[in-house]
Amino acid sequence: MTEAQLMTDADARAAAYLAGIEARPVFPPAEAVAGLAAFDEALPAAGTDPADTLALLDGAGSPATTASNGPRYFGFVIGASLPAAAAAERLMLAWDQCASSRDNSPAAAAIEAQAARWVLEILDLPRQSAVGFGTSATACGLACLTAARRALLARAGWDFDRQGLAGAPPIRVVVSEKVHVTIVKALRVMGVGTDHLVRAADDGQGRIDPERLPALDDRTILCLQAGEVNTGNFDAFADLIPRARAAGAWTHIDGAFGLWARAAPAVAALAAGAELADSWTTDGHKWLNTPYDGAMAICRDAGALAGAMNSDAVYATASADAQKNLTLEFSRRARGVPIWAALRSLGRDGVAALVERHCRQATRLAAGLGATGFEVLNDVAINQVLFRAGSDAATIAIQAAAAASGEIWFGRTVWQDRPALRMSVSSWRTTDADIDRAVGLLAGLIGRG
Ligand SMILES: *Cc1c(COP(=O)(O)O)cnc(C)c1O
């Protein structure tokens, strides 16, 4: 088989997979998972036919996939892939660019620079900010928080790059009681142990209680959230950030999915004041429905991010907007390209319509669940619905039964020390009929319980 034939075969298999995505069980059945044993082979001593490798991948792998690219996957706020973004990604595989800087790939550098401008425009963040296209909100959060600490230390006269942390003035980090686990991970990687985090009390809905905000000073990083992962709620940016600024603190906003509310007029007010922060992280692969893995580290002081992430061999030649100097990666895929393609294909109106439709569908879902006997636990502000059944045992059993049905999938969480269920509406494929089908299924399950 020639390279061209192999690629045609891959394209045909991908097309067939996508054509069947609506009918596919949302979580793979046990037989398909058992079929993954086909991959349990010895490392071949000699080469094998590429066509055979692709056939095995499709034959045993495809049936065992989770249909997260389909319309009724409601887990983890992760969306499907928009056609334009997925197609751009596919062409990019043929390019195989190492998109670290203009020297490696003028095309990637130019398109990612355009994507960066559009991201700042659609999220209405300060236009001079640097945008690094990294792998995940986790990695981009690490990049931003590292830049934050380095900048605060520089203001205190400490050269972090040369002197490191030993003997450095202490930096406090204030996080919400409901901080996302990946921010805690990033801080742990940075050497900020969990015992040293200052936890800001929340208001029972995942927002920091402004009345109980811990003291802030010019050695403090304040981590806020645009979209708490269970409730979808937003911290009170317009109140909290001016207080942080007055104290000389650095504010970082984790907006992995929720920052996209700023692109939708109907809900943008929830995230008002977010533009006052110093740095932000958001994902493409969640609400914008781009393929994994694509996220953004955004920093108001472009030099602060470019300094912290610098990987130029010679400092004096540092190109501040090279992506290798804005992300953790050095050799990298041009992760901004599918984000560019998503924004270009949807346009400003299309992004707003996608976000607003998901918010409406979440409201419809919550109303349906409430009417069939579930307790809805959150103020449904955006696309997240947090709920439980009458007893913890029933809550747990209903999640398992829903997953086993193959019709829908969503995960369990813990809310106020008890099991709860969380559904996220974030796929461009999800229709109102899919929402009604989910409600119908869950109504049947709670009726049985
Ligand atoms: C998903 C999520 C993250 C982590 O994002 P990744 O891209 O998966 O690393 C961080 N914060 C919140 C609120 C999230 O929902």
Side-chain angles (χ1 to χ4, degrees):
M1 214 182 238
T2 63
E3 181 183 14
Q5 286 167 333
L6 184 68
M7 295 304 158
T8 303
D9 185 16
D11 282 345
R13 291 175 187 276
Y17 181 86
L18 284 177
I21 193 72
E22 303 225 351
R24 186 170 287 283
V26 184
F27 196 81
E31 315 85 78
V33 174
L36 292 170
F39 293 101
D40 188 8
E41 313 175 279
L43 174 66
T48 61
D49 180 4
D52 177 61
T53 294
L54 184 66
L56 173 62
L57 183 64
D58 189 27
S62 293
T65 56
T66 303
S68 43
N69 203 0
R72 288 180 309 283
Y73 182 88
F74 298 104
F76 300 104
V77 219
I78 52 183
S81 281
L82 287 165
E89 182 90 24
R90 221 189 283 195
L91 176 58
M92 228 170 59
L93 284 178
W95 289 356
D96 192 31
Q97 302 288 282
C98 177
S100 46
S101 72
R102 217 169 291 273
D103 294 341
N104 298 70
S105 176
I111 301 164
E112 291 195 297
Q114 185 60 44
R117 286 189 286 272
W118 282 355
V119 164
L120 296 175
E121 194 179 323
I122 199 163
L123 297 178
D124 193 18
L125 297 176
R127 303 300 193 268
Q128 82 283 2
S129 305
V131 182
F133 293 102
T135 50
S136 60
T138 306
C140 289
L142 177 58
C144 287
L145 292 168
T146 305
R149 179 169 67 185
R150 182 176 176 277
L152 291 181
L153 287 173
R155 288 179 207 161
W158 188 264
D159 184 338
F160 177 75
D161 294 341
R162 284 184 31 246
Q163 297 172 282
L165 277 183
I171 298 292
R172 290 166 77 240
V173 183
V174 176
V175 299
S176 168
E177 198 70 61
K178 291 284 189 283
V179 62
H180 196 266
V181 63
T182 58
I183 290 284
V184 177
K185 172 177 171 176
L187 290 164
R188 248 178 29 237
V189 171
M190 288 167 62
V192 183
T194 50
D195 284 357
H196 293 277
L197 296 179
V198 181
R199 309 256 180 185
D202 87 291
D203 67 352
Q205 277 291 323
R207 293 172 286 241
I208 288 177
D209 178 356
E211 304 296 314
R212 291 184 286 165
L213 182 69
L216 306 174
D217 61 19
D218 58 1
R219 308 264 170 91
T220 302
I221 301 170
L222 172 64
C223 297
L224 301 181
Q225 304 195 90
E228 193 273 333
V229 73
N230 286 305
T231 62
N233 282 326
F234 295 70
D235 286 325
F237 305 128
D239 175 3
L240 300 178
I241 302 177
R243 289 158 67 183
R245 284 189 133 183
W250 179 293
T251 304
H252 175 73
I253 295 180
D254 172 14
F257 62 96
L259 208 56
W260 292 89
R262 288 177 65 81
V267 286
L270 293 166
E275 69 282 359
L276 301 172
D278 296 288
S279 58
W280 306 262
T281 46
T282 193
D283 276 319
H285 56 225
K286 286 183 175 170
W287 217 350
L288 188 59
N289 284 205
T290 62
Y292 306 97
D293 32 31
M296 289 144 268
I298 307 174
C299 190
R300 169 189 297 278
D301 176 354
L305 184 60
M309 291 294 114
N310 185 279
S311 53
D312 277 333
V314 182
Y315 249 67
T317 67
S319 154
D321 67 343
Q323 282 291 323
K324 66 171 179 155
N325 292 336
L326 298 173
T327 60
L328 294 170
E329 294 78 22
F330 188 70
S331 303
R332 60 184 287 283
R333 220 150 42 80
R335 300 193 156 79
V337 171
I339 291 168
W340 163 85
L343 294 175
R344 191 168 191 280
S345 72
L346 289 176
R348 192 191 283 280
D349 288 353
V351 175
L354 181 75
V355 168
E356 289 173 5
R357 171 160 63 88
H358 290 154
C359 294
R360 269 199 316 278
Q361 288 175 331
T363 303
R364 183 185 185 99
L365 176 62
L369 293 174
T372 52
F374 287 96
E375 181 190 1
V376 175
L377 302 166
N378 63 329
D379 316 330
V380 179
I382 50 169
N383 62 338
Q384 300 285 86
V385 182
L386 183 67
F387 61 104
R388 64 165 64 109
S391 71
D392 292 352
T395 298
I396 291 168
I398 284 171
Q399 188 273 340
S405 76
E407 287 189 52
I408 61 174
W409 196 91
F410 55 86
R412 256 166 66 190
T413 184
V414 172
W415 186 249
Q416 289 163 351
D417 301 322
R418 286 181 53 200
L421 306 172
R422 187 184 66 202
M423 291 176 74
S424 314
V425 186
S426 34
S427 165
W428 68 272
R429 294 185 206 273
T430 304
T431 62
D432 287 358
D434 291 312
I435 298 292
D436 296 344
R437 185 162 157 191
V439 170
L441 179 90
L442 288 164
L445 293 176
I446 199 171
R448 249 193 275 155

